[in-house]
Amino acid sequence: GGAAGQFDKPVGVAVSPTGRVYVTDYLNHRVQIFGASGAYLGQWGSYGVADGRFNCPSGIAVGPGGDLYVADQLNHRVQVFDADGGFLRKWGAYGTGAGQLSGPSGVALDANGHVYVADGYNDRVQVFSADGTYRTQWGVSGSGSGEFDRPLFLALDPSDNVFVADTRNHRVQMFAAVPVPALAASWGRIKTLYR
């Protein structure tokens, strides 16, 4: 449904250090906030292209300072909000160039606040600074090591190793953590965890 606390295809979930649960409500084009016990606390967003609006919000992640990073999938951008849904900034535009996005779905942050985005239709992962500055990327279309076919979601472990759901290749790929400035030259696939 579309009422408070109801969903139409919830896709992403993130939990803040304070215990708030944020859910991207994909086809209602909003983010809803809940307490740890499931009590409805609020929401923000509606369909559109203006700041703070969405076209199918997908992945969501909480940054080190508590800001929320949302992959606004069909607006081909990432939007950043404060803990209560106040709009802070955005980046991205449709395309295949460095820093451009096509159907971004997953978003995650490392310990230094770098933002990793699963750039789904471009079959790659891009890395940005917290302010949206493009840093690097890896991946091309294919089924070989380090290649992707619709990478949709990703996560980082405490050591900043990156796990990518390589959806249409029916596997998860794991990439070793390295300093972000060296990513373009140093990324290497460790192993396929599931295929």
Side-chain angles (χ1 to χ4, degrees):
Q6 295 180 334
F7 300 106
D8 192 351
K9 196 177 180 182
V11 173
V13 179
V15 181
S16 75
T18 62
R20 282 183 161 192
V21 180
Y22 297 88
V23 182
T24 54
D25 191 4
Y26 190 79
L27 292 180
N28 280 324
H29 310 288
R30 64 186 178 184
V31 175
Q32 296 198 67
I33 312 170
F34 299 88
S37 63
Y40 172 82
L41 300 178
Q43 63 180 287
W44 78 89
S46 59
Y47 178 78
V49 298
D51 295 348
R53 295 193 175 193
F54 301 107
N55 187 355
C56 297
S58 185
I60 186 169
V62 180
D67 292 341
L68 296 154
Y69 295 75
V70 181
D72 188 6
Q73 190 174 44
L74 298 184
N75 280 329
H76 311 290
R77 64 187 180 185
V78 173
Q79 295 196 70
V80 187
F81 302 88
D82 64 26
D84 296 315
F87 175 82
L88 298 175
R89 60 191 175 276
K90 64 184 177 186
W91 71 83
Y94 178 75
T96 60
Q100 295 180 322
L101 300 164
S102 181
S105 52
V107 60
L109 284 85
D110 68 16
N112 296 311
H114 299 116
V115 185
Y116 296 68
V117 180
D119 191 6
Y121 299 130
N122 282 327
D123 294 319
R124 65 187 178 184
V125 173
Q126 295 198 68
V127 185
F128 301 86
S129 298
D131 64 359
T133 301
Y134 169 82
R135 300 299 298 275
T136 192
Q137 63 182 289
W138 77 94
V140 295
S141 298
S143 59
S145 298
E147 297 175 342
F148 299 113
D149 189 352
R150 197 64 59 82
L152 290 186
F153 293 97
L154 45 75
L156 280 71
D157 68 14
S159 298
D160 286 340
N161 296 309
V162 183
F163 298 79
V164 182
D166 188 9
T167 304
R168 290 187 176 173
N169 279 325
H170 311 286
R171 64 186 181 183
V172 172
Q173 295 194 69
M174 177 183 174
F175 298 86
V178 297
V180 166
L183 281 176
S186 303
W187 273 93
R189 189 176 68 95
I190 296 177
K191 57 186 175 179
T192 296
L193 299 180
Y194 173 76
R195 185 171 185 177

